[in-house]
Amino acid sequence: MADDKEDPAVFTSTSLPSDPRLLATVTNAYLGTRVYRDILHINGVYNGAVGDTHRADVPSPVNVRMTVPGAESLAETFTLNTRTGTFSHVLQSTDYTATHQIYAHHSLVHLMAFSITIRRSAHTTQPVTVQLHTPFVPKSQDLDLNQGPDFQGAHYVYGKTLVPEVEGGPRPTVHMLWTPVPQALTLCGEERERSWEFLTAVAESEEEVKRSYGEGVALMAAGSLHSSHTCAWARLWRGCCIDLDGPLPLRQALYGCLYYLLSAIPPQGNVNPGFLFHGISPGGLSNGTRGEDYWGHVFWDQDTWMFPNILLFYPEAARAILEYRIRTLEGALRNAQEQGYKGAKFPWESAATGREVCPEDIYGAQEIHVTGDVLMAFEQYYCTTQDQKLFREDGGWELVGAVAQYWCSRMVWSEEEQCYHIKGVMPPDEHHHQVDNSVYTNAMAQRSLNFAADIARDFLIPVPEEWVDCAKKVKVPFDAEKKYHPEYDGYSPGEPVKQADVVLLGFPLMHPMSPEVRRNDLEMYEPVTELDGPAMTWSMFAVGWLELKEVQRAQSQLNKCFSNITEPFKIWVENSDGSGAVNFLTGMGGFLQAVLFGYTGFRITKASLRFDPAIPDDVNLVKVAGVSYFGNKLKFTITKGEIRIKVTESPQDSPASPLEAVLEASGQRFPLRGGQSVSFPTAAGWIQRSPTETR
């Protein structure tokens, strides 16, 4: 957008980071690896029992390094192109260029591939040979691999995981076909240019792996394997955009965050029949082996930190995340039962079954806010899509009711205070445990119960009186004298806090409070929150200050995130000292929310999508395209002086649901019609269905 010559979406370096954890990742919704790593992972395929369960390591045939022996004065570059979802290694001399490209096919999720291209750049006829170094051995510590017969020139192995997550549980079988990799490739004297392509297919059935490999081979024969992948990425980027006229590092960070998050979501359209999505872990599919990046488990990180960004652009992918939670509801019901409660308690760490798989019991027993976090994602989805089918037919209502039942059973009545308490919990601030009435946990329980009651009314289902009573009477700690929210009963101002906790009441919970209280919460907790704590923390402080129109104070908080972004491929680390999860999608999700919900002021409510922009001094313009709302796609162009909104797509099946923009101060209405733009001076307002057209 700005006139920078450097493309903010392309990250190039002449060397690789010394820490291999910081190498670029190539993933899709099903397969993932770090470049030059000897293993890859499969979404939803774990090995090990309960607390030992981790992503099953699959040997990676795409772990290949290209060299030219004996060559002098070679220019070498490594590039991650987030626009095409492709990692490239280029060796260039005066006589030739050798290019190695690696990618996980975005739309055909069972495929990974790499190619080698040698092209002459001078009138020489000497053969050019590149060597390919691969440590690949078809063995795994997590799979009982057997060799099968070759298929269409590909080698074949298959095998089950060794240990099920729960006794008697499934042990998925992994099937893999791959093109054999030679030790060297040569461009002969009479050839100007030649490419070689190498394909890997992975699936959980012999039929699917052979079908996928055959499809890849057909695309290779047509010369369109890589182009079909880049076209899928082009469609993905056309459907969503967050860009701005502002500092290059900020733009690069946004593109990096979007690339890594979009890499993890299911492709648009049903191009992979039978494919079930198994959620997103904090470190993504490239990580999660035993002892690494929380072993590939799914946390609240998915539902609270990543989900809102995905929802606003790709509600179909957001639905797949919710379907994962619905499929694991049985495990959540068992979790609650084992702890002596009714309803469903979602695990702090989830893998294949929904049973608690956290290696340390204290988190699974006490960090119960995750159950409300899951339901808030369902609420946000319902408010932006009105997809009643998910709830009426596909299991959503059963989940909502089970969560409400859990919260009611988890509360105890206090005669002394005449309200309900939730005792013995760990709040998001994990420095404290066994506390009573965590303000975040209790406010989340209240929100869960209110949503459950709302959706019951929408479906004309009788609302249990217990839900209403518990929501109305649960204690949400508040200090009326100091006018702030204590983190829990007995919290003393000044006590150190690990990460964003109370500040989450303002966003994303949108718990009712005055601007004065919102400010007091921010000022109370900002100085006592660990500076090198988890990366998503400062994004939420930034959103809070943007709400209060303290834009420079917000920017100073957001700038703290840059210490978690590593070069050259914009991989995030969980903690600024380099510890914790790597390729930390949670931090990226928080950062994206700071712009997508902070700069714009977007808020998802029951009746509308609100906006109230606040833009920092060094940002002149913010463009957000592809915002999904009730099946429409909206493009927002925001400056400090003007908001322009355009409906770029309207739902074909429901043309009688036009939208309008309403300004808060004046009540002025602007009809939003397909293909047309409206503009008005920058101010607070909202998008809603036109009242004349509502049911």
Side-chain angles (χ1 to χ4, degrees):
M1 276 181 81
D3 293 329
D4 300 294
K5 293 180 181 178
E6 192 171 345
D7 186 340
V10 179
F11 311 139
T12 298
S13 176
T14 57
S15 62
L16 294 172
S18 57
D19 184 345
R21 300 178 309 152
L22 307 182
L23 289 167
T25 72
V26 286
T27 76
N28 59 34
Y30 185 69
L31 298 172
T33 190
R34 287 200 305 261
V35 297
Y36 307 135
R37 191 178 194 188
D38 59 356
I39 56 173
L40 57 85
H41 293 124
I42 304 168
N43 187 244
V45 176
Y46 296 89
N47 180 51
V50 195
D52 186 48
T53 195
H54 54 277
R55 291 203 190 280
D57 289 353
V58 180
S60 173
V62 300
N63 175 25
V64 174
R65 284 294 295 265
M66 175 183 71
T67 62
V68 179
E72 296 180 5
S73 65
L74 275 178
E76 185 171 36
T77 56
F78 302 91
T79 300
L80 176 65
N81 187 329
T82 68
R83 296 189 193 280
T84 63
T86 305
F87 181 85
S88 303
H89 173 211
V90 177
L91 295 171
Q92 189 164 17
S93 76
T94 54
D95 295 334
Y96 62 87
T97 302
T99 303
H100 177 199
Q101 292 188 318
I102 311 169
Y103 55 98
H105 202 290
H106 180 74
S107 57
L108 304 175
V109 297
H110 294 284
L111 300 181
M112 300 188 81
F114 72 90
S115 66
I116 305 289
T117 301
I118 307 173
R119 179 172 54 83
R120 293 185 189 281
S121 50
H123 297 290
T124 63
T125 56
Q126 291 293 318
V128 180
T129 297
V130 299
Q131 289 194 347
L132 304 181
H133 303 270
T134 174
F136 176 73
V137 178
K139 293 181 180 178
S140 168
Q141 63 179 5
D142 297 312
L143 300 164
D144 179 19
L145 289 177
N146 303 282
Q147 188 171 342
D150 286 2
F151 174 77
Q152 294 187 10
H155 293 336
Y156 175 37
V157 293
Y158 62 94
K160 283 183 177 289
T161 55
L162 301 178
V163 182
E165 184 177 309
V166 294
E167 191 173 345
R171 287 173 52 208
T173 302
V174 172
H175 298 258
M176 184 165 73
L177 290 164
W178 72 97
T179 315
V181 179
Q183 292 183 329
L185 297 170
T186 298
L187 181 70
C188 299
E190 67 278 6
E191 295 177 304
R192 293 287 298 167
E193 181 176 338
R194 187 174 174 188
S195 291
W196 296 262
E197 291 186 289
F198 300 87
L199 188 63
T200 295
V202 184
E204 288 160 72
S205 73
E206 181 178 355
E207 180 185 13
E208 180 58 49
V209 79
K210 288 181 174 178
R211 188 197 67 78
S212 296
Y213 190 84
E215 189 171 7
V217 167
L219 287 168
M220 281 167 51
S224 57
L225 179 63
H226 185 243
S227 63
S228 65
H229 163 72
T230 60
C231 283
W233 266 101
R235 285 194 302 272
L236 199 60
W237 283 115
R238 276 198 301 272
C240 78
C241 169
I242 310 175
D243 204 353
L244 43 81
D245 182 357
L248 180 63
L250 178 55
R251 298 181 70 209
Q252 290 175 323
L254 288 171
Y255 274 102
C257 290
L258 272 172
Y259 164 74
Y260 289 114
L261 197 55
L262 293 176
S263 295
I265 68 171
Q268 298 169 274
N270 190 22
V271 292
N272 300 275
F275 169 65
L276 295 177
F277 187 62
H278 291 273
I280 309 175
S281 62
L285 267 180
S286 56
N287 297 304
T289 190
R290 178 187 269 133
E292 171 190 79
D293 275 21
Y294 304 113
W295 298 3
H297 299 164
V298 176
F299 292 70
W300 74 312
D301 304 47
Q302 168 190 263
D303 312 87
T304 299
W305 299 97
M306 306 175 207
F307 181 86
N309 305 293
I310 297 167
L311 171 63
L312 267 200
F313 291 125
Y314 290 113
E316 186 182 337
R319 193 187 207 271
I321 290 172
L322 303 182
E323 288 168 349
Y324 163 71
R325 291 298 194 181
I326 291 171
R327 286 198 311 276
T328 58
L329 177 59
E330 185 179 341
L333 292 165
R334 288 284 300 276
N335 295 336
Q337 184 183 29
E338 286 182 358
Q339 291 186 7
Y341 300 107
K342 297 176 182 177
K345 181 208 169 294
F346 280 91
W348 179 240
E349 300 187 27
S350 182
T353 67
R355 300 299 301 279
E356 182 61 67
V357 294
C358 181
E360 298 170 77
D361 291 342
I362 187 172
Y363 299 98
Q366 294 189 28
E367 203 152 359
I368 63 173
H369 64 80
V370 62
T371 297
D373 300 321
V374 168
L375 201 60
M376 185 166 68
F378 277 82
E379 180 180 359
Q380 291 169 336
Y381 177 79
Y382 184 67
C383 289
T384 56
T385 66
Q386 287 295 302
D387 175 5
Q388 295 205 0
K389 183 177 182 294
L390 179 73
F391 295 87
R392 289 184 184 274
E393 301 175 28
D394 298 338
W397 168 247
E398 287 77 9
L399 183 146
V400 171
V403 168
Q405 193 178 26
Y406 171 73
W407 283 125
C408 291
S409 78
R410 194 61 177 77
M411 295 180 187
V412 294
W413 180 253
S414 167
E415 284 293 339
E416 182 183 350
E417 294 193 65
Q418 288 294 294
C419 60
Y420 287 105
H421 287 193
I422 300 178
K423 295 187 171 185
V425 305
M426 179 184 286
D429 166 24
E430 293 171 330
H431 284 346
H432 298 96
H433 60 91
Q434 202 62 37
V435 303
D436 296 341
N437 297 314
S438 149
V439 69
Y440 177 83
T441 304
N442 288 24
M444 184 61 83
Q446 183 181 65
R447 178 167 177 157
S448 296
L449 290 164
N450 285 332
F451 171 57
D454 285 344
I455 206 163
R457 293 184 192 104
D458 279 1
F459 296 169
L460 304 179
I461 296 170
V463 179
E465 189 58 40
E466 186 183 28
W467 295 5
V468 178
D469 188 56
C470 287
K472 187 177 178 182
K473 296 176 183 175
V474 66
K475 179 179 182 178
V476 179
F478 181 69
D479 186 323
E481 184 181 332
K482 295 188 174 70
K483 293 186 178 178
Y484 89 107
H485 291 96
E487 188 184 292
Y488 51 84
D489 282 356
Y491 176 82
S492 300
E495 276 189 64
V497 171
K498 178 188 175 185
Q499 64 190 71
D501 186 313
V502 176
V503 297
L504 301 177
L505 291 182
F507 180 84
L509 262 66
M510 296 184 287
H511 188 75
M513 70 182 81
S514 68
E516 179 187 13
V517 172
R518 181 73 159 128
R519 176 182 294 274
N520 290 345
D521 283 349
L522 290 164
E523 290 188 332
M524 177 69 73
Y525 293 103
E526 186 182 306
V528 300
T529 301
E530 281 189 359
L531 192 58
D532 58 356
M536 63 281 195
T537 286
W538 304 114
S539 304
M540 293 301 103
F541 279 96
V543 171
W545 289 118
L546 287 165
E547 270 183 24
L548 299 172
K549 300 297 183 275
E550 298 250 12
V551 290
Q552 293 316 114
R553 194 161 181 177
Q555 204 62 5
S556 71
Q557 298 303 312
L558 197 60
N559 286 341
K560 292 178 183 176
C561 296
F562 284 88
S563 61
N564 296 79
I565 305 174
T566 66
E567 298 299 335
F569 303 119
K570 315 303 177 191
I571 292 284
W572 281 58
V573 291
E574 181 174 6
N575 304 310
S576 57
D577 62 3
S579 64
V582 173
N583 196 35
F584 191 48
L585 297 174
T586 314
M588 300 185 207
F591 189 85
L592 287 171
Q593 287 190 60
V595 175
L596 184 56
F597 293 85
Y599 287 3
T600 64
F602 286 162
R603 296 292 184 272
I604 297 167
T605 73
K606 259 195 288 192
S608 66
L609 176 64
R610 298 187 63 85
F611 54 83
D612 187 8
I615 301 176
D617 293 347
D618 57 356
V619 174
N620 299 314
L621 178 148
V622 176
K623 182 175 78 172
V624 182
V627 174
S628 286
Y629 193 60
F630 293 144
N632 299 273
K633 284 283 192 178
L634 306 172
K635 177 182 178 182
F636 291 78
T637 306
I638 303 171
T639 66
K640 294 178 178 70
E642 181 186 74
I643 299 176
R644 182 175 296 274
I645 306 173
K646 182 177 182 180
V647 179
T648 56
E649 289 180 34
S650 299
Q652 295 177 345
D653 57 343
S654 181
S657 297
L659 303 177
E660 63 180 5
V662 183
L663 296 188
E664 184 173 62
S666 66
Q668 190 174 1
R669 297 171 183 270
F670 298 84
L672 296 173
R673 299 186 177 94
Q676 297 181 7
S677 295
V678 301
S679 60
F680 41 82
T682 298
W686 61 86
I687 309 293
Q688 66 180 22
R689 279 179 166 156
S690 299
T692 55
E693 303 289 349
T694 53
R695 291 161 293 140

